[in-house]
Amino acid sequence: MTGLFNSVFGTATTITVQEFLICIAVSLAIGVFLAGVYAFRSKYTQSFLVTLALIPAVVCVVIMMVNGNVGAGVAVAGAFSLVRFRSVPGSAKEICAIFLAMGAGLVTGMGFIGYAVLLAIILGGAMFACSLTGFGGGRDEERALKITVPENLDYTEAFDEVLADCTDSYRLTNVKTTSMGSLFKLTYVVKLKKDTNQKDMIDRLRVRNGNLEIMLTQVDSGDITL
């Protein structure tokens, strides 16, 4: 049993073709497993899942090629900088999945296949359990309501009546000026009532903001903290 968690490279400084192929195969299997776990009850794109499946193998190869060299530290830092492959900011769950895949590839690249599999099973299982139980999903019911108003409108209580009728809770989290100060943009975090008709709510708000832009979107961390 102890031998399962020893490095397949032993004390050797060179890597055989057989050891190389074993590590790559295990890395790919772990990547596919993590991609499958991430896809459960999550929004995703095909490109992200393919990348998530291949990252462990890529990191594994990098670590194997510098095994025993002084440049290993630089290689590790370079491997983890792969998180910049995304051109747009990712969600916290995406970033966590990427680092988990990188961590598994790093362990596999050092030859500790048993630990890499154990890491993937434990943390992948934890991610699956969180998705299955909806852990931390309370924010999913909230929406960001963004309302543009003219500068001459007192927005302090202008929308309270509509929001009180259509939402279970609401709070103003952000106010900023735009168009050289001629307009205000308000951001509310709202929790809609189950029977709320979104179009009717927006139509009622349009009457009060002079038919300027109104946007209802998924809430993000910026809408909550600002």
Side-chain angles (χ1 to χ4, degrees):
M1 186 66 181
T2 305
L4 293 175
F5 297 97
N6 291 333
S7 174
V8 295
F9 304 141
T11 58
T13 57
T14 58
I15 301 173
T16 66
V17 175
Q18 182 181 4
E19 292 169 343
F20 179 85
L21 294 177
I22 290 174
C23 290
I24 292 296
V26 172
S27 297
L28 289 174
I30 290 175
V32 171
F33 169 74
L34 294 177
V37 170
Y38 177 85
F40 180 73
R41 293 187 180 180
S42 298
K43 295 180 180 179
Y44 60 87
T45 61
Q46 181 184 15
S47 62
F48 180 76
L49 284 191
V50 171
T51 302
L52 192 61
L54 295 181
I55 279 180
V58 174
V59 177
C60 175
V61 171
V62 172
I63 299 303
M64 283 193 296
M65 293 300 99
V66 298
N67 187 29
N69 292 339
V70 177
V74 177
V76 171
F80 276 87
S81 70
L82 288 173
V83 74
R84 295 175 59 85
F85 84 94
R86 293 184 60 82
S87 59
V88 295
S91 67
K93 186 175 181 180
E94 288 178 332
I95 295 173
C96 177
I98 291 171
F99 275 100
L100 175 56
M102 289 182 174
L106 174 61
V107 178
T108 307
M110 296 177 67
F112 294 101
I113 293 177
Y115 283 114
V117 173
L118 190 61
L119 170 68
I121 291 175
I122 293 175
L123 296 186
M127 184 184 299
F128 179 83
C130 290
S131 298
L132 185 64
T133 59
F135 176 77
R139 293 290 187 188
D140 291 343
E141 300 178 357
E142 293 187 331
R143 299 289 183 270
L145 177 63
K146 302 181 180 182
I147 305 175
T148 302
V149 299
E151 63 175 341
N152 60 353
L153 175 66
D154 183 5
Y155 58 80
T156 308
E157 298 180 353
F159 308 105
D160 286 359
E161 181 182 353
V162 177
L163 296 178
D165 290 342
C166 300
T167 68
D168 289 326
S169 64
Y170 66 93
R171 62 188 185 277
L172 180 62
T173 60
N174 191 16
V175 179
K176 71 175 181 179
T177 60
T178 185
S179 299
M180 302 296 292
S182 61
L183 299 173
F184 285 90
K185 286 195 173 182
L186 316 178
T187 300
Y188 291 87
V189 174
V190 301
K191 185 176 181 181
L192 300 179
K193 293 180 178 178
K194 292 183 179 179
D195 59 347
T196 295
N197 184 307
Q198 295 184 13
K199 182 180 183 305
D200 290 342
M201 181 187 73
I202 292 176
D203 285 341
R204 292 176 63 185
L205 293 172
R206 288 169 55 202
V207 174
R208 297 175 179 247
N209 81 326
N211 203 28
L212 294 175
E213 181 181 79
I214 297 177
M215 183 183 301
L216 184 65
T217 65
Q218 292 286 342
V219 72
D220 58 36
S221 59
D223 296 323
I224 294 174
T225 57
L226 291 178

